[in-house]
Amino acid sequence: MSNIAKDLCRVIRLQPSVYYQGQMVPRPDGSLEPVDNNIFISFFGREWNRKEKSIRVDFNQNVSIEHEVITERSNYNYLNAYVKKADGTYNSYGQQWTINDKNEVVDMYTYRGDGHELPKQRLVKSVFYDEAPSNGEIKSQITKDSTVINLYFNQHSLMKLVLNDLVEVWYMDKNYHGYIADRCFTEVEGGITTDRLLFVEGLNDL
């Protein structure tokens, strides 16, 4: 369940907030005793006072990068499909589809645009079907992998970041949009404590 919750937060980009609601009643000794206690989990979006912070990190913050594949799909970006005819043979020319930058299926036979929203290079996958494929089947063949990028770095000295902060990170001439997913404190020799952050970029194709 925890893995499902983590993936859910990554996809919909809503972060959980846990809060407590209960009632306290006095004991005979004068102390308070909690009754009817409940723990709730709520989801808040970007509109909930979560303004994105923009920072730049460098080597001094001991940055490490990890690419994590959430869903493995295909490295192809065009599908050339041969569909079986009524006599059991296949058409000599296949039907071709691709996916534009809005994650929509594009039929190249009817497409009349200038190509600016289509993949710049063609990596074609040829498939034989008994029936014409649906949009879902087409996407499953040529949609790229879903990945997240994890950036680990030491706490920013000029802008303190906390858990669930929305952050735009600039590092080595690239920018990443995501949130602070975790903080941990590590000690090195001499008793120096380092506040280390985990930044997670959102899924790249959902």
Side-chain angles (χ1 to χ4, degrees), residues 151-200:
L151 288 175
Y152 300 87
F153 57 90
N154 295 343
Q155 178 69 267
H156 198 272
S157 58
L158 299 178
M159 180 185 294
K160 293 294 184 181
L161 299 172
V162 298
L163 207 63
N164 290 335
D165 269 352
L166 294 173
V167 183
E168 178 188 15
V169 173
W170 290 85
Y171 178 63
M172 294 186 67
D173 297 327
K174 292 184 179 179
N175 67 315
Y176 306 90
H177 293 265
Y179 64 96
I180 301 299
D182 197 8
R183 291 176 68 187
C184 68
F185 296 89
T186 59
E187 286 192 3
V188 297
E189 294 183 6
I192 300 174
T193 301
T194 300
D195 182 2
R196 193 153 173 82
L197 307 172
L198 167 60
F199 165 90
V200 176

Side-chain angles (χ1 to χ4, degrees), residues 64-78:
S64 59
I65 300 178
E66 175 187 82
H67 292 76
E68 181 181 357
V69 178
I70 302 300
T71 304
E72 294 185 4
R73 295 197 180 98
S74 172
N75 290 324
Y76 296 96
N77 54 25
Y78 279 81

Side-chain angles (χ1 to χ4, degrees), residues 14 43-51 166:
L14 297 179
F43 289 92
F44 298 96
R46 288 175 176 266
E47 67 276 8
W48 184 66
N49 295 327
R50 297 179 70 222
K51 295 181 180 179
L166 294 173

Side-chain angles (χ1 to χ4, degrees), residues 75-142:
N75 290 324
Y76 296 96
N77 54 25
Y78 279 81
L79 179 67
N80 199 32
Y82 296 89
V83 181
K84 185 180 290 186
K85 298 186 293 186
D87 61 4
T89 62
Y90 292 91
N91 289 317
S92 300
Y93 299 97
Q95 299 171 254
Q96 194 168 93
W97 294 273
T98 188
I99 297 177
N100 62 20
D101 55 13
K102 295 182 179 178
N103 204 30
E104 299 168 335
V105 173
V106 177
D107 186 340
M108 296 305 297
Y109 180 75
T110 59
Y111 178 71
R112 296 294 182 268
D114 60 7
H116 74 276
E117 78 279 25
L118 304 182
K120 306 309 178 192
Q121 296 178 331
R122 294 196 179 194
L123 300 173
V124 182
K125 182 175 185 178
S126 295
V127 179
F128 293 84
Y129 288 101
D130 289 339
E131 298 179 354
S134 65
N135 282 359
E137 290 172 319
I138 294 170
K139 279 190 174 183
S140 69
Q141 294 288 345
I142 58 176

Side-chain angles (χ1 to χ4, degrees), residues 18-37:
V18 179
Y19 65 93
Y20 165 87
Q21 186 176 29
Q23 188 177 16
M24 307 294 286
V25 297
R27 295 191 179 101
D29 61 1
S31 63
L32 296 177
E33 178 182 7
V35 296
D36 297 331
N37 302 313

